[in-house]
């Protein structure tokens, strides 16, 4: 017999199947890892298929050296998924397999040593000469069995004595496997009676699961409309049919409260995968799935690879979240797309859910590619009152502080009443935009319609998509004001001003700087929740999952910061963020208030966020996407060239441009293809490396896939790196 093997070498010329002989008697199955001889050394590999007819002359075929696994790591369907990922994201097989495997797979099971008493009748007189031995036995009579290390510590005894007792047959030292991570026991909860809307959603999806065909749904419902309750019911239905469920949740929403909701319904049949797990813990959770000890996996992006072979449903909560995309390392996959493909392969059902669906997803739902399910009503809490304050008007009235008069007075009131306030500031330190403080005008690129970024050194305004540039303006072209300047404030500045204006307030700050240490995020959260502070200042981190009844005021310091990110999704991100932030106010009995400060109070993102009208927002945003050919009307590819030598980087990015052009001319497909750049990336220098980028837009994704192949084989200086991302969610 012969095996087709993918070798664990990351290079384009070895990224293919190699054939090896399976020695007589070797226990081998598809999906196992092996060691194989390869160019005079042994390398790891993955068996993707077994065959009796090799496509290669038999006598030249080498034999597999060793099998590394006792059971297959991947089943055939996962191998099919891997093949799809390789082609779709244009990466190496081995990169996909490594992504699918749990980190820590080679850590093995964790075992502990235990000691137990083997005989019942023990008499003190038998141990007159061995008091130490007697002490151990007496202790064991009370605690049997006990961890060896605990016994040694408790009695301050030594292993020698224990050995002697074991030899004499009184006790036994044995090993037991333990799971590194255990879900906490939670009281079973009684499910509420579903509302009509919830029932309808559950019925629709249930029908699809029963039919055994793959299907995809968008569950569109505001926060608090009972989406999670729908998930719980769907999972229950799937389990009744003997099927398993995967629930993907963004990292920041994977809080103890979230986990508790699943555990209180399904007990220990739930595995949890979050990024705080050690490799060993990850492996244990993975094995619970493999051994069929669980029916449900709740986890972050990588949980989409949970090795069930009876998958019934994948649920993606907050489907618009960018964290589902792996942007930093290859394969640059999107768990949403992988989930959709996996459901197709395994005849499972996909449910994506959000209060603010991504433009792409909602567009597909309207076109009928996804079935749309809607929850229109909030179950409990009422909507907070949202007010917009125009900061230009504040300025005109002589208020130059970062607090509008309204927000200022609301904070004062809250302090007096002992109610809590969240001040939200989306800070992105790397870039700053220019705005007119009188009329709110922001200079934008005429080609790409994204905000121009101000470059301090040469006083230029630059477009990071296409490279367009113009000199910094002294006078606002819209209103003639001289107060046109760059914007940028950070959370530290807000903290300083809060201290200055509200000296009586107790303040907490949550941003990247205050949450570097593990666990500090939770610490700040619980301190605030328990009422140890009056005001919490924070970035994106606080926009989600913060369910604190005493928070009755949320202030958005400057909505324009997100609105003017140099990214075509900036309007969408703003709408999502404002909706989420607004959801933090008034979650308890007391009504909530939200104040959004901006220089651009007529922008549709802000106006529709105030009205909490997603559909209206969508209708505006989709027009602009169509006009400028952004997703969902075209696919994007971002190619980043980086290196320490700026000349080399520039030259390589120029070559990259030429390659793109050649491919487009050769293929002649897709009615719309456009290459932007080369231009310095928004983060133009990182770790002493210069960064340039080329962005390609195409109606046909195949064009981009073809370009990826050519980029991979492009010649360039050794030190220069060229990385590409198809369908990127961040262009930095
Ligand atoms: P979402 O996931 O859309 O934010 P949840 O499922 O968390 O909404 O529901 C919001 C709150 O309403 C939760 O406290 C939940 O327990 C409760 N809830 C959900 N559905 C019902 C229902 N049918 N009857 C009573 N309470 C419900
Ligand atoms: Zn102006
Ligand atoms: Zn441009």
């Amino acid at each position: 017999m012969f095996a087709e093997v993918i070798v664990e070498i990351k290079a384009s010329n070895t990224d293919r199947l190699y054939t090896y002989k399976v020695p007589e008697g070797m226990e081998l199955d598809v999906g196992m890892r092996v060691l194989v001889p390869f160019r005079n050394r042994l390398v790891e590999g993955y068996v993707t298929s077994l065959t009796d007819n090799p496509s290669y002359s038999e006598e030249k075929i080498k034999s597999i050296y060793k099998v590394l696994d006792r059971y297959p790591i991947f089943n055939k369907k996962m191998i099919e998924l891997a093949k799809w990922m390789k082609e779709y994201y244009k990466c190496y097989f081995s990169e996909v397999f490594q992504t699918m495997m749990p980190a820590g797979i080679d850590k093995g099971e964790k075992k502990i040593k235990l000691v137990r008493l083997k005989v019942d009748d023990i008499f003190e007189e038998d141990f007159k000469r061995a008091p130490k031995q007697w002490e151990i036995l007496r202790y064991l009579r009370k605690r049997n069995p006990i961890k060896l290390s605990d016994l040694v510590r408790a009695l301050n005894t030594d292993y020698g004595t224990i050995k002697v007792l074991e030899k004499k047959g009184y006790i036994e030292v044995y090993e037991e496997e333990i799971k590194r991570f255990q879900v906490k026991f939670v009281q079973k909860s009684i499910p509420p009676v579903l509302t009509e809307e919830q029932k309808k959603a559950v019925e629709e999806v249930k029908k699809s699961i029963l039919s055994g065909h793959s299907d995809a749904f968008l569950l569109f419902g505001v926060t608090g409309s009972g989406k999670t309750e729908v998930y719980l019911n769907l999972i229950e239905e799937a389990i009744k049919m003997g099927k398993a469920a995967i629930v993907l949740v963004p990292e920041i929403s994977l809080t103890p409260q979230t986990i508790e909701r699943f555990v209180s319904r399904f007990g220990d049949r739930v595995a949890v995968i979050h990024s705080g797990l050690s490799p060993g813990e990850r492996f244990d959770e993975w094995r619970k799935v493999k051994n069929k000890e669980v029916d449900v996996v709740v986890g972050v992006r990588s949980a989409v690879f949970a090795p069930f072979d009876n998958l019934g449903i994948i649920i993606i909560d907050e489907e618009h979240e960018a964290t589902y995309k792996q942007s930093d390392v290859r394969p640059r996959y999107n768990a949403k797309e992988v989930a959709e493909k996996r459901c197709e392969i395994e005849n499972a059902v996909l449910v994506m859910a959000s209060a603010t669906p991504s433009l792409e997803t909602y567009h597909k739902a309207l076109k009928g590619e996804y079935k749309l399910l809607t929850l229109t009503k909030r179950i409990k809490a009422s909507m907070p009152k949202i007010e917009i304050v125009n900061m230009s008007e504040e300025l005109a009235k002589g208020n130059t502080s970062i607090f509008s008069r309204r927000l200022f007075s609301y904070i004062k009131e809250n302090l007096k009443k002992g109610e809590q306030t969240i001040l939200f500031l989306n800070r992105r330190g790397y870039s700053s935009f220019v705005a007119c403080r009188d009329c709110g005008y922001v200079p934008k690129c005429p080609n790409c319609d994204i905000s121009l970024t101000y470059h301090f050194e040469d006083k230029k305004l630059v477009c990071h998509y296409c490279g367009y540039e113009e000199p910094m303006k002294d006078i606002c072209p819209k209103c003639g004001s001289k107060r046109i300047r760059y914007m940028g404030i950070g959370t530290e500045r807000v903290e300083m001003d809060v201290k200055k204006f509200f000296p009586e307030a107790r303040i907490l700050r949550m941003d990247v700087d205050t949450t570097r240490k593990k666990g500090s995020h939770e610490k700040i959260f619980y301190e605030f929740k328990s009422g140890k502070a009056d005001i919490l200042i924070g970035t994106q981190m606080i926009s989600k999952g913060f369910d604190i009844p005493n928070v009755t005021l949320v202030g958005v310091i400057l909505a324009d910061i997100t609105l003017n990110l140099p990214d075509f999704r900036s309007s969408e991100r703003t709408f999502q963020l404002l909706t989420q932030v607004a959801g933090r106010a008034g979650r308890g009995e007391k009504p909530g208030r939200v104040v959004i400060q901006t220089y651009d109070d007529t922008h549709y993102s802000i106006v529709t966020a105030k009205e909490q009208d997603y559909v209206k927002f969508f209708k505006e945003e989709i027009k602009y996407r169509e006009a400028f050919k952004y997703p969902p009307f075209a696919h994007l590819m971002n190619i980043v060239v980086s290196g320490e030598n700026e000349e080399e980087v520039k030259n390589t990015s120029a070559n990259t441009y030429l390659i793109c052009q050649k491919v487009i001319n050769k293929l002649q497909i897709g009615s719309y293809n456009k290459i932007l750049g080369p231009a310095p990336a928004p983060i133009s220098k990182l770790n002493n490396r210069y960064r340039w980028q080329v962005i390609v837009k195409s109606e046909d994704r195949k064009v981009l896939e073809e370009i990826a192949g050519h980029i991979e084989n492009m010649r360039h200086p050794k030190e220069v790196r060229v990385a590409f991302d198809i369908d990127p969610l961040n262009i930095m």
Side-chain angles (χ1 to χ4, degrees):
M1 197 161 54
F2 301 88
E4 304 262 50
V5 176
I6 297 288
V7 291
E8 181 53 70
I9 300 171
K10 288 181 183 47
S12 53
N13 59 345
T14 53
D15 182 38
R16 58 182 186 83
L17 291 169
Y18 288 91
T19 308
Y20 285 91
K21 207 174 285 169
V22 183
E24 242 359 90
M26 178 179 270
E27 292 209 11
L28 186 68
D29 209 342
V30 171
M32 288 183 181
R33 291 172 303 159
V34 288
L35 270 186
V36 291
F38 192 87
R39 294 181 188 153
N40 303 324
R41 61 194 174 102
L42 286 174
V43 297
E44 245 183 80
Y46 309 88
V47 177
T48 61
S49 62
L50 294 169
T51 172
D52 287 321
N53 309 305
S55 55
Y56 198 63
S57 98
E58 275 191 39
E59 50 290 0
K60 284 197 200 148
I61 299 178
K62 293 182 212 155
S63 288
I64 291 174
Y65 178 73
K66 194 179 167 190
V67 187
L68 294 174
D69 296 308
R70 278 173 292 145
Y71 51 85
I73 305 293
F74 307 111
N75 65 23
K76 292 202 173 92
K77 285 172 178 168
M78 290 303 269
I79 292 171
E80 197 184 330
L81 185 67
K83 285 182 180 163
W84 175 82
M85 281 180 74
K86 174 204 157 43
E87 288 306 322
Y88 198 74
Y89 298 111
K90 292 289 156 192
C91 59
Y92 308 137
F93 262 125
S94 63
E95 289 172 321
V96 178
F97 283 130
Q98 276 204 337
T99 307
M100 287 180 154
M101 278 194 304
I105 188 151
D106 294 316
K107 280 244 177 329
E109 294 98 65
K110 187 169 176 175
K111 294 197 172 118
I112 50 162
K113 282 205 164 107
L114 294 161
V115 185
R116 120 188 133 81
L117 209 52
K118 272 174 79 181
V119 286
D120 293 330
D121 309 328
I122 39 172
F123 305 101
E124 192 169 2
E125 27 311 6
D126 299 342
F127 292 89
K128 283 235 169 74
R129 303 252 200 89
K132 271 170 122 184
Q133 292 178 20
W134 174 244
E135 199 187 4
I136 290 172
L137 293 175
R138 216 180 49 177
Y139 196 78
L140 277 173
R141 268 213 297 223
K142 283 183 285 178
R143 287 157 228 246
N144 190 31
I146 184 172
K147 253 164 91 178
L148 178 62
S149 55
D150 288 349
L151 180 71
V152 171
R153 203 172 325 121
L155 301 181
N156 198 15
T157 183
D158 55 272
Y159 292 104
T161 318
I162 292 166
K163 269 258 158 64
V164 173
L165 279 172
E166 193 180 14
K167 249 196 194 139
K168 286 185 182 168
Y170 283 104
I171 62 170
E172 182 191 17
V173 180
Y174 62 102
E175 281 189 337
E176 202 171 87
E177 191 201 322
I178 55 151
K179 293 287 190 322
R180 296 168 178 90
F181 176 82
Q182 293 289 358
V183 290
K184 282 202 199 80
F185 173 77
V186 186
Q187 204 71 41
K188 280 249 173 185
S189 62
I190 301 156
V193 179
L194 296 185
T195 63
E196 283 308 311
E197 282 185 329
Q198 285 174 319
K199 243 186 248 162
K200 190 162 166 276
V202 171
E203 283 308 313
E204 285 255 342
V205 180
K206 188 178 149 189
K207 254 189 276 163
S208 278
I209 308 176
L210 266 175
S211 80
H213 298 302
S214 79
D215 221 340
F217 294 87
L218 168 62
L219 177 61
F220 170 45
V222 293
T223 342
S225 60
K227 295 189 293 298
T228 311
E229 205 51 54
V230 171
Y231 312 158
L232 294 169
N233 278 272
L234 289 174
I235 296 168
E236 219 166 283
E237 295 296 342
I239 293 175
K240 272 192 223 154
M241 297 177 217
K243 296 186 178 186
I246 297 174
V247 186
L248 300 186
V249 180
E251 183 74 47
I252 34 176
S253 334
L254 199 52
T255 57
Q257 291 132 287
T258 312
I259 296 169
E260 224 180 271
R261 278 186 83 177
F262 287 91
V263 176
S264 73
R265 209 48 104 55
F266 306 110
D268 59 3
R269 302 291 295 176
V270 180
V272 180
I273 296 174
H274 60 83
S275 68
L277 296 183
S278 70
E281 288 169 337
R282 269 180 187 246
F283 174 55
D284 280 355
E285 295 303 289
W286 183 86
R287 232 156 22 97
K288 283 184 199 163
V289 178
K290 201 84 187 160
N291 298 340
K292 307 202 183 322
E293 291 165 37
V294 296
D295 308 303
V296 188
V297 167
V298 182
V300 294
R301 179 171 65 218
S302 63
V304 74
F305 302 114
F308 287 118
D309 36 45
N310 57 333
L311 187 66
I313 185 168
I314 301 181
I315 294 162
I316 306 184
D317 188 33
E318 314 263 14
E319 69 81 33
H320 62 277
E321 275 294 320
T323 59
Y324 292 124
K325 167 97 186 183
Q326 173 158 293
S327 300
D328 45 352
V329 285
R330 288 163 50 126
R332 295 192 167 83
Y333 72 95
N334 191 328
K336 239 180 346 184
E337 295 162 345
V338 174
E340 195 173 349
K341 189 69 197 178
R342 188 168 175 190
C343 286
E344 199 184 302
I345 294 172
E346 308 202 17
N347 283 324
V349 170
L350 175 67
V351 175
M352 291 168 278
S354 176
T356 53
S358 68
L359 261 272
E360 289 91 328
T361 303
Y362 197 74
H363 184 70
K364 281 190 184 171
L366 291 185
K367 283 199 304 181
E369 278 181 51
Y370 301 146
K371 293 181 182 157
L372 184 61
L373 306 166
T374 315
L375 301 179
T376 53
K377 290 188 258 329
R378 230 165 254 253
I379 303 268
K380 291 178 195 160
S382 57
M383 276 294 302
K385 183 166 173 257
I386 303 176
E387 298 169 68
I388 300 174
V389 178
N390 185 330
M391 293 305 275
S392 301
E393 283 169 18
E394 290 293 311
L395 199 64
K397 297 258 161 64
N399 176 12
T400 53
S401 97
I402 62 169
F403 302 110
S404 60
R405 288 158 301 164
R406 190 166 320 164
L407 182 56
F408 183 89
S409 70
Y410 285 1
I411 296 173
K412 277 278 185 219
E413 273 174 37
N414 254 29
L415 285 171
K416 239 184 247 151
K417 287 190 286 187
E419 295 175 8
Q420 289 172 296
T421 300
I422 288 178
L423 295 178
F424 176 82
L425 181 77
N426 181 9
R427 184 193 54 161
R428 286 271 166 91
Y430 67 90
S431 98
S432 43
F433 63 98
V434 167
C436 170
R437 291 193 72 183
D438 285 318
C439 76
Y441 168 82
V442 174
K444 294 201 167 174
C445 172
N447 311 320
C448 312
D449 202 47
I450 65 158
S451 305
L452 297 173
T453 301
Y454 181 50
H455 281 220
F456 288 91
E457 313 85 54
D458 34 18
K459 303 216 177 314
K460 271 189 319 201
L461 297 171
V462 180
C463 170
H464 283 301
Y465 278 18
C466 72
Y468 167 87
E469 53 177 72
E470 58 182 47
M472 169 68 184
K473 296 177 162 62
D474 297 324
I475 292 174
C476 171
K478 202 170 140 198
C479 76
S481 160
K482 282 188 184 157
R483 276 198 282 221
I484 181 161
R485 61 180 75 155
Y486 81 91
M487 294 277 181
I489 40 172
T491 39
E492 297 94 336
R493 162 77 197 282
V494 176
E495 188 178 5
M496 263 168 50
D497 280 23
V498 172
K499 278 184 180 150
K500 197 166 92 193
F501 292 112
F502 311 100
E504 71 273 36
R506 295 165 302 160
I507 306 165
L508 279 171
R509 199 178 100 206
M510 188 184 275
D511 56 25
V512 266
D513 298 325
T514 62
T515 52
R516 284 227 172 81
K517 264 207 306 237
K518 205 179 162 181
S520 48
H521 189 269
E522 289 77 30
K523 194 169 154 265
I524 297 173
F525 172 76
Y526 284 112
E527 262 179 55
F528 191 59
K529 187 168 183 172
S530 65
K532 291 205 177 97
D534 308 299
I535 299 176
L536 174 67
I537 302 161
T539 55
Q540 280 94 308
M541 282 176 203
I542 63 170
S543 63
K544 236 164 286 158
F546 268 60
D547 199 342
I548 303 177
N550 198 34
V551 173
T552 53
L553 174 62
V554 170
V556 178
I557 300 293
L558 194 58
D560 313 44
I561 295 180
T562 337
L563 204 51
N564 292 301
L565 283 177
D567 187 325
F568 75 88
R569 287 193 179 87
S570 59
S571 300
E572 184 181 1
R573 295 264 153 82
T574 306
F575 180 83
Q576 290 164 350
L577 215 58
L578 291 178
T579 305
Q580 258 146 19
V581 174
R584 298 310 111 212
R587 303 201 48 110
E589 302 296 311
K590 290 165 270 187
R593 288 198 282 202
V594 177
V595 176
I596 300 171
Q597 304 191 140
T598 177
Y599 286 96
D600 198 355
D601 62 354
T602 55
H603 193 287
Y604 62 88
S605 285
I606 294 180
V607 175
T608 54
K610 175 190 152 77
E611 294 164 358
Q612 290 294 289
D613 191 342
Y614 173 82
V615 175
K616 194 167 161 193
F617 164 77
F618 176 87
K619 283 182 183 153
E620 285 296 323
E621 177 69 7
I622 203 80
K623 280 191 244 164
Y624 143 82
R625 296 284 178 94
E626 188 156 27
F628 285 90
K629 288 279 181 204
Y630 284 121
F633 300 98
H635 288 276
L636 251 64
M637 176 182 197
N638 186 26
I639 309 167
V640 175
V641 180
S642 65
E644 287 180 14
N645 182 322
E646 196 172 12
E647 268 322 292
E648 286 181 358
V649 171
K650 272 192 193 172
N651 291 339
T652 308
S653 57
N655 285 340
T656 305
Y657 182 95
L658 291 177
I659 286 176
C660 297
Q661 207 167 37
K662 243 199 213 145
V663 173
I664 289 173
N665 289 342
K666 193 187 79 188
L667 284 182
Q668 299 279 352
I669 53 170
S671 60
Y672 177 86
N673 294 297
K674 195 169 170 105
I675 315 166
L676 303 175
I683 303 174
S684 57
K685 207 173 171 191
L686 191 68
N687 296 328
N688 278 322
R689 298 174 69 84
Y690 293 91
R691 301 173 79 246
W692 278 62
Q693 66 189 17
V694 174
I695 297 173
V696 192
K697 288 204 256 179
S698 177
E699 265 179 356
D700 196 330
R701 200 176 187 275
K702 286 209 185 63
V703 172
L704 307 180
E705 289 166 14
E706 183 76 17
I707 288 174
H710 284 76
I711 296 281
E712 199 83 328
N713 295 317
M714 177 174 83
R715 283 167 170 272
H716 54 76
K718 229 181 169 169
E719 195 271 325
V720 172
R721 272 202 299 265
V722 184
F724 61 83
D725 188 352
I726 305 178
D727 297 324
L729 281 189
N730 268 315
I731 298 179
M732 300 290 174

